[in-house]
Amino acid sequence: MKWLLCGVSIAFCGLVLRGYAAGHLRKHKQLATSGPYAFTRNPLYLGSVLLAAGFSVASHSWISTLLLAAYLAIFYPVVIRREQGELKTLYGAAFVEYASQVPAFWPRLSPATASTERFSWPIYRQNREYEAAIGLAVAMAILWTIMLWRGGS
């Protein structure tokens, strides 16, 4: 049970980060540079890594940890590079300038720029990020059920 609780805590941090990012993301309308995007260009992916890490801790399984780590290590760099190209095409010099100041994945310690943009619940809902919360709840409920079924700790 302690592994499940620890994992849920880590995953919850990822969920919060993803939600915070989703409330700043106006897809294909405006380059996101506010909120968590002032620290990292890919807060949604960083949040997903925390979700995956939380799931791995909760499952207390080296196999799931290795599989998730391999998946993230293989696919995320490719996806991030592809998306960077799309953003450069959409936003040109503004993206190049932003990318020169904000790291692709591991966040800066301070925001790259100050912004007047604020988190928006309507944009959060439009981006349907609440689906990640539902997914986390279902995944953890399944792990908890498996733990109970096995009579585990």
Side-chain angles (χ1 to χ4, degrees):
M1 185 61 92
K2 68 181 176 185
W3 292 106
L4 182 67
L5 293 175
C6 185
V8 166
S9 298
I10 295 167
F12 184 74
C13 291
L15 191 63
V16 168
L17 178 56
R18 284 189 56 87
Y20 185 42
H24 285 269
L25 181 61
R26 291 158 179 83
K27 293 180 185 175
H28 307 295
K29 294 178 184 164
Q30 176 183 342
L31 180 61
T33 60
S34 62
Y37 292 94
F39 296 88
T40 174
R41 294 193 311 263
N42 293 286
L44 289 167
Y45 292 138
L46 182 56
S48 292
V49 166
L50 290 171
L51 281 166
F55 181 82
S56 292
V57 169
S59 71
H60 194 68
S61 164
W62 284 106
I63 293 171
S64 77
T65 300
L66 290 174
L67 290 173
L68 282 169
Y71 172 82
L72 295 172
I74 292 168
F75 292 106
Y76 269 22
V78 173
V79 171
I80 287 171
R81 275 194 301 277
R82 185 192 71 224
E83 286 183 2
Q84 309 256 345
E86 292 170 4
L87 290 171
K88 188 174 180 186
T89 299
L90 270 173
Y91 301 108
F95 176 75
V96 172
E97 174 66 22
Y98 170 66
S100 73
Q101 297 175 19
V102 179
F105 191 74
W106 299 111
R108 300 167 46 102
L109 294 178
S110 61
T113 58
S115 174
T116 58
E117 295 281 333
R118 298 286 176 236
F119 176 88
S120 167
W121 282 109
I123 291 175
Y124 169 87
R125 286 189 297 277
Q126 179 182 339
N127 287 324
R128 301 169 57 117
E129 189 56 34
Y130 54 84
E131 292 175 354
I134 294 167
L136 174 63
V138 168
M140 292 304 177
I142 290 169
L143 282 177
W144 182 65
T145 302
I146 290 169
M147 261 198 317
L148 290 176
W149 180 64
R150 290 184 177 171
S153 49

